[in-house]
Amino acid sequence: MTKEFSTYKKVSYIEFGAAALFTLLLINFSLDISILAFPLALIFSAILFYLSYFKIFKETDGSKAMAVLKLTQYLPYFLLLCFILRRAGKNGSSGFYDLITVLLWLLIFVTSLILSNLMGEKKIKKLSEGWAVKPEFKKPKGAARIVFEIVDWADALVWAIFTVMLFQIFVFQLYEIPSESMVPTFLIKDRVIVSKFDCGPKFPLTNIGFPDFRHYKRGQTIVLRNPHYSLDRKSEVKTVTSQLLYMLTFMTVNINRDEDGELKADPLVKRICGEPGEQLVMQDGQLYARKNGQDFKPVEIDNKFATWNLNALQQNIKKKVESFPLSASEYEDMLDFEEYRRNYDLNVAKFRAQEIVRSLNNYASSVSKTGDFTTPSLFEYMLFSQVNTIALDLISKAGGTKWFSDFMTSWIENKDKERDLYSESNFRLNVITKITFGNLVLRTIELSKNNVSASQWQNDAVFKENYELANKLNWYIQSLLDERNMPVFPANDANGNACYIPKNCYFMMGDNRFNSLDLRHSYDQKMKPLTDDDKLSIEYYSMMEPQYVNKRYIIGKPVYRFWPATRRGKV
């Protein structure tokens, strides 16, 4: 027995032992797909053991050397598929159980590499000295050559698939940009290579894997699991399955869909905007941050990436953008409105609110009441859309003037309260909305008293001015408010003490802020008041629900765009 053959046998026995223990750990009695893991692993391992032990070791029959080589090379990949299959059932496994299984797999992987090297064409001669039948690596001739070539191509394909799968899980992942949330950094259908190795990749459906070597900081683009979706076992199994199929079909088949059949936005590509130890707030498109004991300061680097006006992009990028949330003129209108809100005089508003109430009371005093007033919805859109009906009910229904007086003045007691940027802005927005509504109510009553038909109200300068402002308020509150701004996050505690993003956690946003459903937002709308400093605050439908994520949800960093060819290059 040669030294090489002796080494080969010893390494083989180590591999057989590890494979046997690994296979035993796959035993599962759940009546679901996971029950297949053990028999499949057992059959594959048994075939390899039989050919190696009885044919190679006992009979030194080199005619089976090629089959043994291929099975040895496939073993770790096949067992990895069984590993995933075992964890694809309804019942998982403990962390310690997973750790032992992973360590055994790593041992199998290493021994497979060693054995494949010992059986390579350059070393097989020394390995097979003295064998009864020498290994034969020559290609057959004639009809057998065709079969050989087909099998050889199939082998190459399978080997490529397994290799890509391993790289996809632990080293690099191919990712196609699904939306325009990162314009202009990425466009829809851009395809990028995502580095995973230094981001702590894990074995599928487990928390066992490599440590996270990367140091994350603000401004970096990353790929992360979408925290808006459930990450329970059932959804994780579906995600892993879809990722494998997506990879095996070279990014052409994606079955990762939600309950409605829509493709899941998972994973996401976003930019890190908030770091551990920070508290954030965003107002009028400017992100502010502070650390413990400090005041909020503008985050200047965020201005480098945040894209609010797509119309200002370079023409070669702009022509590839599909959706423009705002036209150039609308963007300027937004800036003008924000300037108007910032300069709005609350003292003047207080005087105007009281004046509107007095005027309405005067009109109501001469009108007989025909029933009880029904409190209207405080939803901004409903208030403005029903202003004509509400106005007439206020003076003709019992209790109307009382409600109106409370509604128009309920904010005044907190007028001078100290607030953060976001809260102060929304407080002013609430006041502007109320004054505009009050002006429309009062003018509606005045025009009705003067017998001006409703069809002619739009020609009235006062009514027209306030109606246009109402439309602008509705546009900003319903379409722009939650995209353009963000409340203090993490929110202060019940005692008003500042809270901060915890260690190893980060806050992310898309660059295209008006077209990015990111960590600022929930996927569900909820009715919320514009301000907590007004018991009768205007309400609106909001998706604002900022959250941070632990770095364990970060799965990689985009490093290279390889498609389209005209935009390829380092990210």
Side-chain angles (χ1 to χ4, degrees):
M1 180 185 300
T2 64
K3 178 181 178 181
E4 288 78 7
F5 191 36
S6 177
T7 302
Y8 174 79
K9 290 178 67 175
K10 291 178 182 178
V11 176
S12 293
Y13 285 134
I14 294 174
E15 182 181 60
F16 296 153
L21 291 174
F22 183 94
T23 302
L24 289 174
L25 290 175
L26 297 179
I27 294 177
N28 177 42
F29 298 104
S30 298
L31 297 179
D32 52 39
I33 193 172
S34 62
I35 201 171
L36 297 176
F38 171 71
L40 290 175
L42 179 62
I43 291 171
F44 193 98
S45 301
I47 293 173
L48 175 59
F49 177 78
Y50 171 78
L51 293 177
S52 298
Y53 183 78
F54 290 101
K55 295 299 180 180
I56 301 295
F57 298 168
K58 292 294 185 181
E59 301 176 10
T60 61
D61 183 357
S63 64
K64 303 297 186 290
M66 180 62 73
V68 171
L69 173 61
K70 292 302 178 184
L71 290 174
T72 300
Q73 292 173 338
Y74 291 158
L75 180 63
Y77 301 100
F78 188 85
L79 292 183
L80 180 60
L81 291 176
C82 293
F83 176 91
I84 297 171
L85 193 63
R86 164 63 182 84
R87 283 146 186 82
K90 60 182 179 181
N91 297 320
S93 51
S94 68
F96 179 76
Y97 190 92
D98 286 338
L99 177 61
I100 298 301
T101 313
V102 166
L103 291 175
L104 287 171
W105 184 88
L106 290 173
L107 180 58
I108 294 167
F109 181 76
V110 172
T111 54
S112 174
L113 292 177
I114 295 173
L115 293 173
S116 297
N117 181 58
L118 290 172
M119 293 187 73
E121 286 191 60
K122 294 182 178 180
K123 295 186 178 182
I124 193 68
K125 290 183 179 181
K126 287 186 177 181
L127 179 67
S128 61
E129 286 182 8
W131 284 15
V133 180
K134 295 292 184 180
E136 195 58 68
F137 284 93
K138 293 181 180 180
K139 294 182 179 180
K141 298 180 180 180
R145 177 66 178 269
I146 298 176
V147 176
F148 175 86
E149 292 294 343
I150 293 174
V151 173
D152 193 47
W153 275 98
D155 170 68
L157 179 61
V158 172
W159 182 249
I161 289 173
F162 281 145
T163 303
V164 171
M165 180 182 72
L166 203 61
F167 268 77
Q168 177 93 348
I169 293 173
F170 299 110
V171 185
F172 292 109
Q173 178 174 333
L174 303 182
Y175 181 73
E176 183 178 82
I177 305 300
S179 72
E180 292 189 329
S181 67
M182 286 295 290
V183 170
T185 306
F186 297 116
L187 302 176
I188 292 178
K189 300 296 184 182
D190 278 2
R191 296 189 177 189
V192 297
I193 296 174
V194 177
S195 172
K196 299 180 70 174
F197 181 74
D198 56 351
C199 295
K202 302 293 186 286
F203 278 74
L205 303 178
T206 76
N207 291 319
I208 308 301
F210 297 97
D212 190 342
F213 298 111
R214 181 174 290 277
H215 173 69
Y216 303 100
K217 60 182 181 180
R218 179 184 283 111
Q220 290 182 335
T221 55
I222 51 89
V223 175
L224 74 154
R225 296 299 309 278
N226 190 339
H228 295 106
Y229 293 120
S230 172
L231 298 180
D232 58 20
R233 172 160 297 278
K234 182 179 179 180
S235 62
E236 285 298 272
V237 169
K238 187 174 182 180
T239 297
V240 170
T241 303
S242 66
Q243 287 177 343
L244 289 175
L245 182 60
Y246 186 62
M247 177 271 299
L248 295 176
T249 58
F250 302 100
M251 305 173 69
T252 59
V253 177
N254 190 344
I255 62 170
N256 195 21
R257 298 179 181 273
D258 59 22
E259 294 77 6
D260 299 323
E262 299 294 328
L263 284 175
K264 281 187 176 181
D266 185 33
L268 300 172
V269 57
K270 300 298 175 187
R271 193 179 299 277
I272 294 176
C273 299
E275 299 179 311
E278 290 184 333
Q279 188 178 46
L280 309 170
V281 67
M282 187 164 67
Q283 186 58 48
D284 297 343
Q286 174 64 62
L287 182 66
Y288 299 83
R290 71 174 175 187
K291 294 191 175 182
N292 193 7
Q294 299 178 351
D295 294 328
F296 280 113
K297 296 180 181 179
V299 181
E300 299 299 342
I301 191 175
D302 189 68
N303 298 330
K304 177 181 178 182
F305 304 111
T307 302
W308 297 103
N309 184 14
L310 297 183
N311 302 278
L313 294 176
Q314 295 179 356
Q315 191 60 33
N316 63 324
I317 297 294
K318 183 178 177 181
K319 66 182 181 181
K320 297 178 181 178
V321 176
E322 297 179 4
S323 176
F324 287 81
L326 298 179
S327 65
S329 61
E330 287 174 332
Y331 182 75
E332 293 301 322
D333 288 343
M334 179 195 70
L335 296 181
D336 291 341
F337 177 78
E338 290 176 342
E339 183 69 18
Y340 169 75
R341 185 211 63 233
R342 286 192 292 269
N343 295 328
Y344 194 74
D345 193 323
L346 294 180
N347 290 317
V348 173
K350 172 186 174 182
F351 177 80
R352 179 56 184 164
Q354 294 169 338
E355 184 181 39
I356 291 173
V357 170
R358 284 194 297 268
S359 297
L360 184 128
N361 286 336
N362 289 335
Y363 282 117
S365 62
S366 61
V367 178
S368 59
K369 305 300 182 284
T370 59
D372 294 330
F373 179 73
T374 301
T375 302
S377 167
L378 295 181
F379 176 38
E380 172 271 328
Y381 175 79
M382 295 298 293
L383 275 177
F384 283 130
S385 64
Q386 298 178 3
V387 66
N388 298 351
T389 302
I390 295 173
L392 298 179
D393 284 351
L394 285 171
I395 59 175
S396 62
K397 304 289 185 180
T401 54
K402 174 64 169 62
W403 176 86
F404 186 71
S405 176
D406 291 343
F407 173 75
M408 291 299 298
T409 61
S410 56
W411 58 273
I412 293 177
E413 63 178 322
N414 289 317
K415 175 176 67 71
D416 298 320
K417 181 179 177 180
E418 186 176 345
R419 284 174 282 269
D420 60 76
L421 284 170
Y422 178 87
S423 299
E424 177 64 21
S425 170
N426 278 19
F427 184 83
R428 289 170 175 269
L429 200 57
N430 174 66
V431 175
I432 296 171
T433 305
K434 287 194 168 188
I435 298 301
T436 304
F437 174 74
N439 285 335
L440 284 171
V441 165
L442 193 59
R443 193 56 179 165
T444 296
I445 295 172
E446 291 171 347
L447 292 172
S448 297
K449 289 287 185 179
N450 293 327
N451 296 317
V452 179
S453 64
S455 61
Q456 295 178 311
W457 291 359
Q458 292 294 341
N459 297 325
D460 179 77
V462 175
F463 188 90
K464 183 178 180 180
E465 178 185 356
N466 284 279
Y467 186 78
E468 289 177 350
L469 181 54
N471 279 327
K472 189 164 291 185
L473 283 162
N474 179 70
W475 171 62
Y476 190 88
I477 293 172
Q478 301 301 333
S479 302
L480 305 180
L481 179 59
D482 279 4
E483 308 296 335
R484 184 76 167 158
N485 313 288
M486 183 180 72
V488 170
F489 172 76
N492 296 339
D493 64 20
N495 297 320
N497 300 312
C499 297
Y500 302 93
I501 298 174
K503 183 180 179 181
N504 293 326
C505 294
Y506 298 86
F507 175 74
M508 297 87 167
M509 291 189 284
D511 289 351
N512 186 5
R513 299 285 161 84
F514 279 135
N515 195 9
S516 177
L517 195 59
D518 48 44
L519 299 192
R520 294 171 291 172
H521 307 121
S522 165
Y523 280 9
D524 300 313
Q525 288 187 331
K526 297 178 182 177
M527 186 75 80
K528 291 183 178 181
L530 276 175
T531 176
D532 293 329
D533 289 329
D534 183 353
K535 61 184 179 181
L536 293 175
S537 170
I538 298 294
E539 297 177 339
Y540 75 113
Y541 279 107
S542 173
M543 297 177 70
M544 183 63 69
E545 195 173 329
Q547 61 179 308
Y548 49 75
V549 296
N550 191 283
K551 69 176 184 179
R552 69 174 178 270
Y553 291 107
I554 298 176
I555 61 177
K557 184 182 186 305
V559 293
Y560 189 82
R561 183 192 298 106
F562 65 91
W563 190 263
T566 54
R567 285 168 46 78
R568 67 179 182 272
K570 183 179 178 182
V571 176

